[in-house]
Amino acid sequence: MFSLCLQPSASLKVQREEIIGSRGYYSTRVARNPNLEKLQTNYLFPEILERELKHVEKYPNAKVISLGIGDTTQPLPEPVALSMSNYARALSTPQGYTGYGLEQGNKLLLGSNVSIAVQDPSFPGYIDSSVIMGQSGDLKNDSGRYGNIKYMKCNLENDFFPDLSKIERTDVIFFCSPNNPTGHAASRQQLQQLVEFAQVNGSIIVYDAAYSAYISDSSPKSIYEIPGSRKVAIEISSFSKTAGFTGVRLGWTVVPKELLYLNGFPVIHDFNRIICTSFNGASNIAQAGGLACLSPEGFKEVMFKVDYYKENARILVETFTSLGFRVYGGSNAPYVWVHFPGSKSWNVFNWILDKTHIITVPGIGFGPAGEGYIRVSAFGHRESILEASKRLITLLCHTN
Amino acid sequence: MFSLCLQPSASLKVQREEIIGSRGYYSTRVARNPNLEKLQTNYLFPEILERELKHVEKYPNAKVISLGIGDTTQPLPEPVALSMSNYARALSTPQGYTGYGLEQGNKLLLGSNVSIAVQDPSFPGYIDSSVIMGQSGDLKNDSGRYGNIKYMKCNLENDFFPDLSKIERTDVIFFCSPNNPTGHAASRQQLQQLVEFAQVNGSIIVYDAAYSAYISDSSPKSIYEIPGSRKVAIEISSFSKTAGFTGVRLGWTVVPKELLYLNGFPVIHDFNRIICTSFNGASNIAQAGGLACLSPEGFKEVMFKVDYYKENARILVETFTSLGFRVYGGSNAPYVWVHFPGSKSWNVFNWILDKTHIITVPGIGFGPAGEGYIRVSAFGHRESILEASKRLITLLCHTN
């Protein structure tokens, strides 16, 4: 048997010793993915967690309330949990057992030579995924922006919907409505503009409808309510923020068969291929839960959970409004977007944490246009929301 | 409000009409990911499924036995199913509810400028993922090989372990042991060679130990049994092929902190970052099941399932051996690798399907070195395995 590796030749031995010798430690010769070096140092939520831990060290007896990360807190609807429980139980019986199921997922589809646009502010995942895939270009010093990403500013001046006349064409437009973090749900007219903008530019909209169940007014709950959208839009959503599946993990992606690449090839075929290759579908138990969410009984209870969080949001909006702040979101979304004009959002974050032991999210973490805002999550227990409201009123009535 | 999109300007309107007009249909202007165009047309298992469907059309009354796709068939161990059932049930109670959990995953880590080596034959997923990520180079006509992938031939001549003296350096070496499809478990001495080969070359081994529970002899069950491996190897595994989690979905990745990029940066940090950004962890219910698999009672029952499939493999090995075939694998793996010297493996596949209504997998589907072999999966029900054995004996005793 060949034994090069047990007794390496002199030259290879020397080479290896050089690798170790020159630096005092052994590393592989594999270069780090340069895209990863471009990522900004701290991912928003770990940074917030770190500040929370430091705060707890400083105030060991404080009762910290987290209105930061948008993690659900209400138990699952009973019929949904029951359905998953029964499904899991049956997996140990010959009749109930199933192996590989249908597949799904959404990575790697368009490759790295793709230009993207995102709402500013928006959920950091869109940008960070694009950076990792090599689509972003380099980070421009101090601006907090990547060179090849187009930022669609959404702020007070434009009613939190981008001025599309100022946006250059990109291949992909990430668009989240109701938006995380601003809570703004785009109107029908605004989404018609967006679809027409994509049609004119030959762009693909990736429409994130994760919060659509929170819409109270007549704003569309799906991009497909807009005529012509099937030729230009993919829609993604999940059970996370409605049925509380943040831990159970189940979402979906709609890729209309009418959506075509420049060469006429249907996007759905590549999507399917990637899923079959790189993913193998969501857990079958989670899927059983998803089906139960869609049953009449399950759906009703899911909407009770949504109503619970909407009432939380209403309390938070009322609290901040009564204190004289301008507040956005909260009526069509589980997030309240509070304006502190002229302030740095990390300073506001620190000040609120220090004075009230409440965790929020600094708006700047969602993009440069989030500066001066904080995002307050309504996904807490009712008692926490009420307690937070009390603390804020105590703090701010004394301060203002 | 800005209304470009509701009333597009003349020039944009013309542009859009040109897009539609020149071809008679509307497409986006987004180019197809060129990496996807490089993928070979049919993914192995869909191709097999298609042939199965055609077969069933031709023989509507045939009782087809599938020894093809490696999907488990035995119910989950009872304590594991019970644990997941209880966990799911408790998710509808305030005490039992949990949201986002710890995160994990394994995509996008090394980027596209990475050279890779794979065993030939091997599970097609390694190559297809690399093609999608742009690491493979172009497919070379007729050879079935991609230009930038190094194929480590594993066949009869080298005891199914590659001759490393003939393999060029690559950044990443995918290595599956016990191997899918050959069923060969690398010996301790062979794995020492592999680790030393990686050390000398500064490569990273991605060691797939998904079938290690099937090892009956003294072959290592983990690459980390080999001294020095923590500086050069990542190990991946899952509960799929032991506890039968092909549908429940739960696996793990070990990235030792000692594993460093060329620049000295620990790989684990990037791994963690990607997971936090692109994935959000496996379903919490599946994780409850995984923990139950590791309890003393659960582990014992998991190993009963493994023994069941090993007995299936023994029956298949005995069947083919008694018919005069040279058979590999099956003793350390749930796959039996049957040699048909001089035959094309798709022809063997068709012949067996046509004569016995048994689905296998043609060896060529796992790489050029798989030509002349078929892979037979032991993941069936015992009755199917025994029935398949009977049909094969009937066919081949009459034929030979």
Side-chain angles (χ1 to χ4, degrees):
Chain A
M1 185 171 293
F2 171 69
S3 64
L4 161 83
C5 293
L6 290 171
Q7 293 151 14
S9 70
S11 73
L12 283 175
K13 223 173 193 166
V14 166
Q15 192 185 354
R16 182 159 58 111
E17 274 157 15
E18 273 171 2
I19 292 172
I20 300 174
S22 62
R23 309 189 285 183
Y25 63 88
Y26 175 85
S27 79
T28 66
R29 286 165 59 197
V30 178
R32 188 176 178 210
N33 181 346
N35 297 326
L36 284 166
E37 293 178 359
K38 291 179 189 168
L39 273 176
Q40 289 179 271
T41 318
N42 276 300
Y43 185 67
L44 180 61
F45 295 105
E47 170 71 26
I48 289 173
L49 182 63
E50 201 174 302
R51 295 198 187 207
E52 177 175 351
L53 294 177
K54 275 189 194 146
H55 182 79
V56 171
E57 241 172 61
K58 194 169 158 192
Y59 302 100
N61 298 319
K63 288 196 166 48
V64 173
I65 297 177
S66 178
L67 306 180
I69 183 170
D71 191 8
T72 44
T73 55
Q74 288 307 293
L76 293 194
E78 180 139 3
V80 174
L82 207 54
S83 167
M84 292 197 290
S85 176
N86 291 339
Y87 187 92
R89 187 70 189 78
L91 285 173
S92 68
T93 67
Q95 297 75 29
Y97 182 72
T98 56
Y100 289 124
L102 296 174
E103 294 146 325
Q104 53 165 285
N106 65 352
K107 303 264 178 255
L108 298 168
L109 184 62
L110 298 170
S112 55
N113 292 319
V114 163
S115 55
I116 73 159
V118 296
Q119 285 155 299
D120 176 17
S122 67
F123 175 64
Y126 310 129
I127 290 179
D128 287 355
S129 301
S130 297
V131 175
I132 293 171
M133 292 191 63
Q135 303 166 338
S136 67
D138 293 330
L139 188 64
K140 290 190 288 185
N141 276 343
D142 301 332
S143 73
R145 294 193 169 95
Y146 290 89
N148 292 349
I149 294 180
K150 304 301 170 203
Y151 292 78
M152 305 185 291
K153 200 183 276 188
C154 298
N155 58 14
L156 259 181
E157 283 86 62
N158 57 26
D159 186 27
F160 298 101
F161 185 81
D163 180 348
L164 296 171
S165 72
K166 294 185 175 154
I167 311 297
E168 284 176 52
R169 183 208 174 262
T170 58
D171 291 319
V172 173
I173 301 166
F174 285 103
F175 200 91
C176 178
S177 180
N179 181 260
N180 174 8
T182 69
H184 178 76
S187 68
R188 191 168 305 270
Q189 198 195 17
Q190 288 173 333
L191 290 181
Q192 279 166 348
Q193 285 182 35
L194 182 70
V195 166
E196 184 130 353
F197 180 73
Q199 288 172 334
V200 167
N201 286 314
S203 305
I204 295 176
I205 299 165
V206 176
Y207 190 80
D208 184 347
Y211 301 99
S212 67
Y214 288 85
I215 291 177
S216 305
D217 63 17
S218 63
S219 304
K221 294 193 176 179
S222 163
I223 190 71
Y224 302 121
E225 295 186 31
I226 309 302
S229 58
R230 294 179 61 88
K231 290 185 177 175
V232 294
I234 290 170
E235 184 165 300
I236 58 179
S237 193
S238 94
F239 289 108
S240 287
K241 305 304 174 94
T242 53
F245 273 32
T246 47
V248 173
R249 317 295 307 141
L250 192 66
W252 63 90
T253 304
V254 181
V255 183
K257 63 181 190 310
E258 297 91 332
L259 183 69
L260 308 178
Y261 294 114
L262 178 60
N263 67 359
F265 192 81
V267 174
I268 183 65
H269 293 186
D270 280 350
F271 186 78
N272 191 47
R273 176 67 189 266
I274 286 176
I275 287 151
C276 290
T277 305
S278 303
F279 192 49
N280 262 310
S283 174
N284 47 15
I285 305 172
Q287 293 188 52
L291 285 175
C293 289
L294 299 176
S295 71
E297 194 196 359
F299 188 74
K300 205 173 74 181
E301 297 219 23
V302 166
M303 292 314 289
F304 283 151
K305 304 288 177 189
V306 170
D307 286 340
Y308 179 94
Y309 295 128
K310 282 174 83 165
E311 174 62 12
N312 284 352
R314 197 196 57 73
I315 294 168
L316 291 169
V317 167
E318 194 178 271
T319 301
F320 283 102
T321 306
S322 75
L323 292 165
F325 290 97
R326 288 190 72 173
V327 175
Y328 308 92
S331 61
N332 283 329
Y335 298 120
V336 179
W337 188 237
V338 189
H339 200 188
F340 292 81
S343 296
K344 296 274 181 200
S345 49
W346 273 116
N347 292 345
V348 176
F349 169 90
N350 285 335
W351 176 66
I352 291 179
L353 178 56
D354 211 47
K355 298 293 183 190
T356 67
H357 310 303
I358 297 172
I359 307 274
T360 58
V361 184
I364 185 84
F366 299 100
E371 186 60 295
Y373 291 85
I374 56 160
R375 188 195 78 174
V376 185
S377 163
F379 286 119
H381 294 286
R382 181 66 45 79
E383 320 80 89
S384 303
I385 300 289
L386 290 171
E387 170 66 19
S389 170
K390 200 158 60 173
R391 289 187 198 170
L392 286 163
I393 287 169
T394 306
L395 166 70
L396 291 159
C397 285
H398 293 190
T399 316
N400 275 4
Chain B
M1 183 171 295
F2 171 69
S3 64
L4 161 82
C5 292
L6 289 171
Q7 293 153 13
S9 70
S11 70
L12 283 174
K13 221 172 193 167
V14 166
Q15 192 183 353
R16 182 159 59 111
E17 273 157 14
E18 273 171 2
I19 293 172
I20 301 173
S22 63
R23 308 190 288 183
Y25 63 88
Y26 175 84
S27 79
T28 66
R29 285 166 59 197
V30 179
R32 190 175 177 210
N33 181 346
N35 297 324
L36 284 166
E37 292 179 359
K38 292 178 187 169
L39 274 176
Q40 290 178 272
T41 318
N42 276 301
Y43 185 65
L44 179 61
F45 296 106
E47 170 71 27
I48 290 173
L49 181 63
E50 200 175 303
R51 295 199 186 205
E52 177 174 350
L53 294 177
K54 275 189 194 145
H55 182 78
V56 170
E57 240 173 63
K58 192 169 159 192
Y59 302 100
N61 298 317
K63 289 197 166 44
V64 173
I65 297 177
S66 177
L67 306 180
I69 182 170
D71 190 9
T72 44
T73 55
Q74 288 307 293
L76 294 194
E78 178 139 4
V80 174
L82 207 53
S83 168
M84 292 197 290
S85 176
N86 291 340
Y87 187 93
R89 186 70 189 75
L91 284 175
S92 67
T93 68
Q95 297 75 30
Y97 182 72
T98 57
Y100 288 125
L102 294 175
E103 295 147 327
Q104 54 166 286
N106 65 352
K107 304 262 179 254
L108 299 168
L109 186 60
L110 298 169
S112 55
N113 292 317
V114 163
S115 55
I116 74 160
V118 296
Q119 286 156 296
D120 176 16
S122 68
F123 175 64
Y126 309 130
I127 290 179
D128 286 355
S129 301
S130 299
V131 174
I132 293 171
M133 294 191 61
Q135 302 166 339
S136 66
D138 292 331
L139 188 64
K140 291 190 289 186
N141 275 345
D142 299 334
S143 73
R145 294 192 169 96
Y146 289 90
N148 292 349
I149 293 180
K150 304 300 170 203
Y151 292 79
M152 305 185 291
K153 200 183 274 187
C154 299
N155 59 13
L156 257 180
E157 282 87 63
N158 56 25
D159 185 27
F160 297 101
F161 184 80
D163 180 348
L164 297 172
S165 71
K166 294 184 176 154
I167 311 296
E168 282 176 56
R169 181 204 177 266
T170 57
D171 292 318
V172 172
I173 302 165
F174 285 102
F175 201 92
C176 178
S177 179
N179 180 260
N180 173 10
T182 68
H184 177 76
S187 69
R188 191 167 305 270
Q189 198 195 16
Q190 288 173 334
L191 290 181
Q192 280 165 350
Q193 284 182 36
L194 181 70
V195 166
E196 185 130 353
F197 180 72
Q199 287 171 336
V200 166
N201 285 316
S203 305
I204 295 176
I205 300 165
V206 175
Y207 191 80
D208 185 347
Y211 301 100
S212 66
Y214 288 84
I215 292 176
S216 305
D217 63 17
S218 62
S219 305
K221 295 193 175 177
S222 163
I223 190 72
Y224 302 122
E225 294 186 31
I226 309 302
S229 58
R230 293 178 62 88
K231 290 184 177 176
V232 296
I234 290 170
E235 185 165 300
I236 59 179
S237 193
S238 94
F239 288 109
S240 287
K241 306 303 173 92
T242 53
F245 273 33
T246 45
V248 173
R249 317 296 308 141
L250 192 66
W252 62 89
T253 303
V254 182
V255 183
K257 64 181 189 310
E258 296 92 332
L259 183 68
L260 308 178
Y261 295 114
L262 177 61
N263 67 359
F265 192 82
V267 173
I268 182 64
H269 293 187
D270 279 349
F271 186 79
N272 191 48
R273 176 69 188 266
I274 287 176
I275 288 152
C276 291
T277 305
S278 304
F279 192 49
N280 262 310
S283 175
N284 47 15
I285 304 172
Q287 293 187 53
L291 285 174
C293 290
L294 299 175
S295 71
E297 193 195 359
F299 188 75
K300 205 173 76 182
E301 296 218 25
V302 166
M303 292 314 289
F304 284 150
K305 304 288 174 189
V306 170
D307 286 341
Y308 179 94
Y309 295 128
K310 283 174 80 165
E311 174 63 11
N312 283 353
R314 197 196 57 72
I315 293 167
L316 290 169
V317 167
E318 194 178 272
T319 300
F320 283 103
T321 306
S322 74
L323 293 166
F325 291 96
R326 289 191 71 175
V327 175
Y328 308 91
S331 62
N332 283 329
Y335 297 119
V336 179
W337 188 237
V338 189
H339 201 187
F340 292 80
S343 296
K344 297 275 181 200
S345 50
W346 273 116
N347 291 345
V348 176
F349 169 90
N350 285 335
W351 177 67
I352 291 180
L353 177 56
D354 210 48
K355 298 293 183 188
T356 68
H357 310 303
I358 297 171
I359 306 275
T360 59
V361 184
I364 186 82
F366 299 99
E371 186 58 294
Y373 290 87
I374 57 161
R375 188 194 80 173
V376 185
S377 163
F379 285 119
H381 293 287
R382 181 67 43 80
E383 322 77 271
S384 304
I385 300 288
L386 290 171
E387 170 66 18
S389 170
K390 199 158 61 176
R391 290 187 199 170
L392 287 163
I393 287 169
T394 305
L395 166 70
L396 291 159
C397 284
H398 292 191
T399 317
N400 276 5

